[in-house]
Structures are given as structure tokens and as C-alpha cells.
Amino acid sequence: EGSRRIGPAVVVLCYHDICSDDDFTNWMRVPLSMFKRHLKMLKRVGRFISPYDLFDPIRLATDRLNLMVTFDDGYINLLRMALPLLSQHQIPALVFISTRPMIEQKPFWPDVFITPIQTLRIRELDLKDFGFGVYSFRENDDVGRWEDVQHLLEDVKAVGNTEHPKVSALLTYMNEQFR
């Protein structure tokens, strides 16, 4: 027999950060114009729900997708760019705030690398003094460039957390060098 759906279909859409169209992008950042297109297209294929709707299946549509929008980490552009758009279209969203960076007033550790590499269009970082290597970042290939950045982030993650001496020294260097 054909496939049968057991109940209403719920799709959770996870975003991290919205950015202006002229800002750098990566797998975590969606330009505002693209986010607007996402919402417009999604409105045609589904119905936006709040987390509370999950506790009352009667409130879920059975004839179309139920879409729940979520945001991770609590980047400021959620407040500045996404929230006005979500409010305008009456789209509920669930937000997961990472409180430690907020309390400490420090960026997420990957952003200590990503932001200067992307905003300053750094082509190469020599991190041999910290037990890493020399990292090159492609200039005119955004997908390839992001792969290069990801390679650096994976190498740092493989060493340990931010309290590891090598990682801590590297983060201090990046903060001092590119503040």
C-alpha cells in the first residue's frame, strides 16, 4: 500500500542569524531578502504554528504542513531584522537564547574566527605558533571560502573546548589581532 501519514505533518525550520543583504553570509546567516522569500513561499505551502500548538493536535492542520520557526543562539539581528518581519506577518517563533555569551558579553567562539575572516576578507592565517597550520581562504568562491573557514573551525574543535590552553591562546590572539 501507499504511505500513510499517522497525524498532522510538522516541519521545524531552524534559523540562527539574519543579516543585511550586503553583509557576509555563511551556513548560519540568511540575508534578509532571502528570509522574506522563505516566509512568502512557506506561507503558500503551510501554516505557521506556535510551540503551544504541538500540545493540542486539534489545532494542527491535516491538509497542509504545520511550520514552526525557531532561532538558535539569540543573535541581535533576530531582534533587529527577523522580529519585525515575523510580527508583520503574525508568524510565531521559538527562540533559544544562549545566555553564557550574553552574560559574559563575549561572542560565540566560532564568531571570533568567522567575523574577521569574512568582514576583512582575510586570505590567509598562519596559526603555526598555536599548534595549528596555515589556513588559506578562497577569494572569489563563497562556497569554497566557507569550506575553508569550516576546516579551521573543525581543527579548533578537535583540540578541545575554549578552556583548552591551545584554544584559549588562539582565541586571545584572534581577539587582540582583529578587534
Side-chain angles (χ1 to χ4, degrees):
E1 288 184 51
S3 63
R4 292 192 296 179
R5 196 164 27 158
I6 295 179
V10 176
V11 176
V12 178
L13 305 155
C14 179
Y15 291 92
H16 281 265
D17 195 11
I18 305 298
C19 63
S20 61
D21 289 351
D22 60 348
D23 203 350
F24 72 90
T25 61
N26 60 44
W27 67 271
M28 290 178 36
R29 301 183 91 210
V30 176
L32 182 59
S33 64
M34 184 178 291
F35 183 61
K36 288 177 181 178
R37 287 194 305 271
H38 287 186
L39 296 180
K40 184 178 180 180
M41 185 275 304
L42 290 165
K43 256 187 167 172
R44 289 195 306 260
V45 299
R47 161 185 176 289
F48 291 101
I49 63 169
S50 79
Y52 298 109
D53 294 325
L54 297 174
F55 296 105
D56 188 1
I58 295 262
R59 296 169 66 173
L60 299 176
T62 57
D63 60 336
R64 59 195 319 208
L65 293 174
N66 294 281
L67 307 167
M68 187 165 61
V69 177
T70 69
F71 284 88
D72 279 358
D73 302 328
Y75 285 98
I76 190 66
N77 286 336
L78 166 62
L79 182 62
R80 291 181 180 157
M81 295 181 191
L83 187 59
L85 192 60
L86 294 168
S87 295
Q88 175 187 346
H89 294 283
Q90 298 180 340
I91 298 172
L94 179 62
V95 179
F96 299 93
I97 303 290
S98 297
T99 55
R100 184 175 184 184
M102 295 176 96
I103 291 167
E104 294 176 353
Q105 294 292 295
K106 293 181 181 177
F108 294 104
W109 76 263
D111 293 336
V112 173
F113 296 97
I114 296 167
T115 300
I117 290 169
Q118 294 295 72
T119 57
L120 302 174
R121 300 305 289 175
I122 293 172
R123 291 185 183 171
E124 186 175 276
L125 274 176
D126 182 348
L127 303 176
K128 291 185 288 198
D129 290 346
F130 302 94
F132 295 91
V134 176
Y135 296 85
S136 298
F137 308 100
R138 287 172 255 194
E139 192 56 31
N140 295 315
D141 174 2
D142 285 341
V143 172
R145 185 175 180 81
W146 180 246
E147 289 173 0
D148 298 338
V149 172
Q150 194 66 30
H151 176 72
L152 167 60
L153 297 176
E154 289 169 2
D155 286 355
V156 174
K157 285 181 196 176
V159 171
N161 61 27
T162 58
E163 285 78 31
H164 188 284
K166 279 174 63 173
V167 175
S168 179
L170 183 55
L171 289 169
T172 299
Y173 167 78
M174 291 296 292
N175 276 318
E176 290 172 356
Q177 188 73 22
F178 301 107
R179 192 176 295 207

